[in-house]
Amino acid sequence: MNSVARKIVGQSRPQLRFVNLWSASPRTSLLRRSYATAKLDLPALDQKWRRPIPKLGESPNLPENSKSKFQTVKDRMYILSMFPYPSGNLHLGHLRVYTIADVIARFHRLRGHDVLLPMGWDAFGLPAENAAIERGIDPAIWTKDNIARMKEQLECMNGSFDWSREFATCDPEFYKHTQKIFLLLHKHGLVSQKKATVNWDPIDMTVLANEQVDSDGRSWRSGAKIVQRELQQWFFHITKFQESLLEDLNKLSVDEAWPERVLAMQKNWLGRTEGAYYDFAYEEDGKTEKHWLKIYTTRPETIYAAQFIALSPQSPIVERLAQSDSKLREFVERVKDLPPETAEAYRVSQLKAISPLELGTGNSEQSVSPLPVFVTPYVRGDYETGAIMGVPAHDARDFAFWKRHCSETSLKYAVSPEPDGSTESLKNGPYLESGYCTPLTGSYAKIPSGDAARQIVDRINDQSGLARHSTKWKIRDWLISRQRYWGTPIPIIHCSTCGPQPVPDDQLPVVLPKVDAHWEDGRTGNPLETATEWVNTSCPKCHGLAKRDTDTMDTFVDSSWYYMRFPDPYNSEAPISADLAKSYLPVDIYIGGVEHAILHLLYARFIYKAVVDLLGLPVDPSKEPFKKLITQGMVHGKTYSDPDTGRFLKPNEVDLSSPSEPKIVASGKTATISFEKMSKSKHNGVDPTTFIAQYGSDATRAHILFQAPVGEVLNWDEDKIQGVIRWLRRFYDFIQKIPIPTDGSIPQFDSASYFQSSNPAEKKTPQYLEDAEIWRATQNTIISVTSAIEKVYSMNTTVSSLMELTNLLVKNKKASDVIKREASLMIIRMMAPITPAFAEECWSILNPGRGSVFNDSWPVTDNSLALLDFQDRITSIVQVNGRIRCVVDIPRKPESLKDGTPEFHEWIKDKILQSEDARQRLVGDNDITKATKVYVVKGGATVNYVIPKQKE
């Protein structure tokens, strides 16, 4: 391998009988450092090795191997973490995602890639506008100050971000291109303005998209109860891309490129359903005239099990009937303010409904009785036709309604989980899954319900025309208008003669006007509406009087394309040039919170597909913006509460003399410890900069990675960082005792020459045995750490693997200085992405005057494991469901054990789990004790455990 570790101390094996290799040469004197007992000061190392963040516009000093010296696109990697909103304070969630991103970037740089790891600011949005009103200052000033403060905080974490590409979405040079994208979509019919009933936030005084309103009808930001208003609004026609947005999720599922739950969330939000419309007839008492009621269902096969019809109180039929039915009229009035989930109902006794199965010649093979008709608020008036067919055997809400109002009748099942269609296993409750049709469906019995659904609809349609297939989508066009100031102005001019006109390209950007009086007076509402000098302009078509659009864009528009800007941040003509799009897009690894699984990621996928198509950018044919998506878990803080009242306790209300048994100062009772989402109300927040100042950025970074797998919640426990610090101190103390030649002449190290020997006796010496044990463990650690960082989600195991190797290195005191040095250099290079300042310091100790560790390369195995099999041990690659989870050393199989026997499988499992590394990795879904099958190759060289996936 092309690394410093391969360029030192390579002499033939017979000379290695000396404890110290360099003692073989009388010319080489050894230096034992006088500072061997120097105290490790991690915060001081931060200051020593930290690379200052340049101011906006300055070029950063990057390590040589991170500069663009690569010639081909395949050498480049684009790694991006979701850019932060500049709130003014960095929290531990920020620190976690940026640590993960930085470790991945440093790792790939060491492997020879030209890595782009940029940073910018998602700077528009309501919080800045609200802060401006509260403080009486321009939101631009507030935002700029926050960015400066957060950059200082980011500097503390010792990241390797490329600040030369920094931008904020509130920079006119950035939102000029947001406006260009708007106009590009507008030109091609993907943007329109229309009146719409919208979600109005009465606190923030702006419109919210459906996605920004929670299940309780409240704003995702202010928490205000949303009211409905009809306004003229701008929409992006994302629905024109709904097919590709759904189909291309299959591409993102290959090799687990995107997390399965994110794909499921996107799929559910797109909401494609294959259903059918049925026409039910209904008659009123005393009248022979038939009326028709169209009903939509996503389960057409369950029509055989329909047991009632339910109408919304807002249904036109109900409104007509209520005119002559006073009791119905009273019911409708009473339930109009009830929550939609209520099971209140009014039976319309004068109506009876007839299923299309009964209508037309030969439609029904079974006798179907007329169905009772109810009016109930749980049927929404704005959903389809405001009517449903109630199928209590196959719908949970219908079942709850039926149980309350029709419990005297038995359930009818049209679908069963049993292949023979039998219903004996169904315990008089709803069966909600697909399955097989029951005898109730006549000739469709035993047919898979999905297949039967299409056949049933086709048959009814052919015989009576009372059914038709229908595909429905949940997704709606993206409403992007916002009635607020701090956002990208919509580049449209309204002319009473010519209508809405796009702002000409040479007049972009449309820059936000100064409205200082608005902020100084603390006014609410949209100040653009009263900025008359800005609003009044001329029509670009007829040059007559006209007005600018006073809405701004949803901030999700900015974040839907910002990743395209980092490769080409100074391009004034286009969002990105074709050449740089080809070189850098799509993003190779995108890292951020799962809370953005729907809104941001769905919008980004839409904009990317649209812009790539319309600009003809030469990018990956998948037309997806992010090849691999990493979603990190949240960070929860240690929380103390009163066991009697549940009240969260402030730090000064808890006595932590005994951390495991915290006492409430006022009562002396033991406080309850839990880990909760960090918030001011729970008094469990942690200031990352204070923490880093105390423990150093490297210990903090390692602690963040070590405490939990990347995708899981990290329970932040300050006490546990001491284990990381002990590891770093132990390694630091160890390497200072390794002698180095004073003249700097370090011969090349060649493991094959070092461990190759024709003398069997030599392989039994204590030094040789310890050298071999260390080097074997070093090679296995290279494999496991490399795999963990490549896969990302198991990155927590990198720290435990390096700790384990460090412990082995320190324990084997008889090992030669050569191997101690070689193994230490390997550890330094593997820890460098995680603890960069500490690694630089250790590298300078073992390699004085030889530059940065980041100018070296990532270690690779040297094929020496085959030479080290002189002991009765082998290297075992442990797989779970075909994927490598760890690599461990185990004894060779005893001759008494036969391959394939249960005894052998139990023996090898026991030996694997003796490894600390294996015990840490083989947990949860990878717990080999839960395996149903095991496949062992070559006596344990490879062991594959098959573990059934748990149903969610």
Side-chain angles (χ1 to χ4, degrees), residues 13 16-21 734 754 764-774 808-820:
R13 179 58 219 167
L16 295 175
R17 296 171 186 170
F18 300 94
V19 174
N20 193 311
L21 182 62
F734 176 79
Y754 189 91
K764 296 181 180 180
T765 63
Q767 176 186 315
Y768 189 98
L769 293 174
E770 291 195 5
D771 281 356
E773 183 180 6
I774 290 171
L808 181 70
L809 188 58
V810 174
K811 182 185 73 173
N812 285 280
K813 299 184 183 303
K814 295 180 181 179
S816 67
D817 288 338
V818 178
I819 291 300
K820 288 178 182 178

Side-chain angles (χ1 to χ4, degrees), residues 137-185:
I137 60 172
D138 190 326
I141 295 173
W142 186 82
T143 301
K144 184 178 180 181
D145 290 344
N146 285 351
I147 288 174
R149 187 157 54 251
M150 290 183 72
K151 283 182 73 171
E152 290 177 0
Q153 293 175 313
L154 278 170
E155 186 176 5
C156 294
M157 69 163 285
N158 203 4
S160 60
F161 300 102
D162 182 352
W163 289 98
S164 68
R165 300 169 186 266
E166 177 192 12
F167 59 75
T169 57
C170 63
D171 297 337
E173 277 306 306
F174 176 85
Y175 68 72
K176 169 184 178 179
H177 296 286
T178 307
Q179 293 171 342
K180 278 178 173 279
I181 289 173
F182 177 99
L183 294 175
L184 178 70
L185 300 180

Side-chain angles (χ1 to χ4, degrees), residues 287-498:
K287 299 179 181 179
T288 58
E289 181 185 4
K290 281 187 171 63
H291 299 276
W292 296 97
L293 178 63
K294 190 177 293 293
I295 288 176
Y296 177 74
T297 177
T298 59
R299 298 285 303 275
E301 73 279 14
T302 65
I303 189 172
Y304 285 91
Q307 294 189 255
F308 62 87
I309 296 296
L311 304 176
S312 166
Q314 292 81 42
S315 165
I317 297 173
V318 174
E319 291 177 358
R320 178 175 60 80
L321 292 173
Q323 294 175 5
S324 58
D325 186 337
S326 60
K327 290 184 178 179
L328 175 57
R329 191 162 58 249
E330 290 173 5
F331 174 81
V332 171
E333 183 65 25
R334 181 168 61 83
V335 301
K336 68 180 183 180
D337 294 325
L338 291 179
E341 62 271 13
T342 183
E344 291 288 326
Y346 178 89
R347 181 166 181 174
V348 188
S349 58
Q350 67 266 36
L351 294 187
K352 60 179 180 179
I354 305 170
S355 168
L357 292 171
E358 281 289 290
L359 300 165
T361 306
N363 271 346
S364 178
E365 303 173 49
Q366 306 290 322
S367 176
V368 182
S369 302
L371 303 175
V373 179
F374 294 87
V375 178
T376 175
Y378 95 84
V379 180
R380 287 169 41 195
D382 60 350
Y383 177 72
E384 293 296 338
T385 62
I388 65 162
M389 64 178 196
V391 187
H394 302 298
D395 184 276
R397 292 183 307 165
D398 293 352
F399 177 76
F401 181 89
W402 169 87
K403 198 171 183 180
R404 178 167 176 178
H405 298 284
C406 312
S407 57
E408 69 280 359
T409 59
S410 59
L411 284 177
K412 295 181 179 180
Y413 291 98
V415 180
S416 164
E418 306 299 331
D420 63 358
S422 62
T423 60
E424 286 77 8
S425 62
L426 301 173
K427 307 297 183 182
N428 208 35
Y431 177 67
L432 308 179
E433 308 298 327
S434 58
Y436 301 87
C437 288
T438 68
L440 180 69
T441 64
S443 61
Y444 300 107
K446 303 181 184 180
I447 295 177
S449 56
D451 297 339
R454 297 199 66 83
Q455 296 177 33
I456 292 167
V457 174
D458 288 340
R459 182 176 180 179
I460 295 175
N461 183 56
D462 290 344
Q463 295 181 342
S464 65
L466 298 178
R468 65 179 177 87
H469 295 287
S470 179
T471 299
K472 296 287 182 180
W473 295 81
K474 177 183 173 183
I475 190 172
R476 297 292 179 264
D477 282 334
W478 176 11
L479 190 161
I480 65 146
S481 296
R482 297 295 180 267
Q483 289 66 45
R484 62 187 183 219
Y485 171 84
W486 194 234
T488 299
I490 289 178
I492 293 291
I493 293 172
H494 297 275
C495 175
S496 58
T497 303
C498 306

Side-chain angles (χ1 to χ4, degrees), residues 596-640:
H596 300 293
I598 296 176
L599 300 182
H600 163 56
L601 291 173
L602 189 65
Y603 295 155
R605 294 179 63 222
F606 158 61
I607 290 294
Y608 187 78
K609 290 175 182 293
V611 170
V612 163
D613 276 345
L614 298 177
L615 294 183
L617 296 177
V619 299
D620 187 293
S622 71
K623 294 182 181 176
E624 286 291 336
F626 313 116
K627 285 184 184 178
K628 186 175 182 65
L629 174 68
I630 304 297
T631 54
Q632 88 285 354
M634 297 182 68
V635 181
H636 286 180
K638 185 180 279 189
T639 310
Y640 302 98

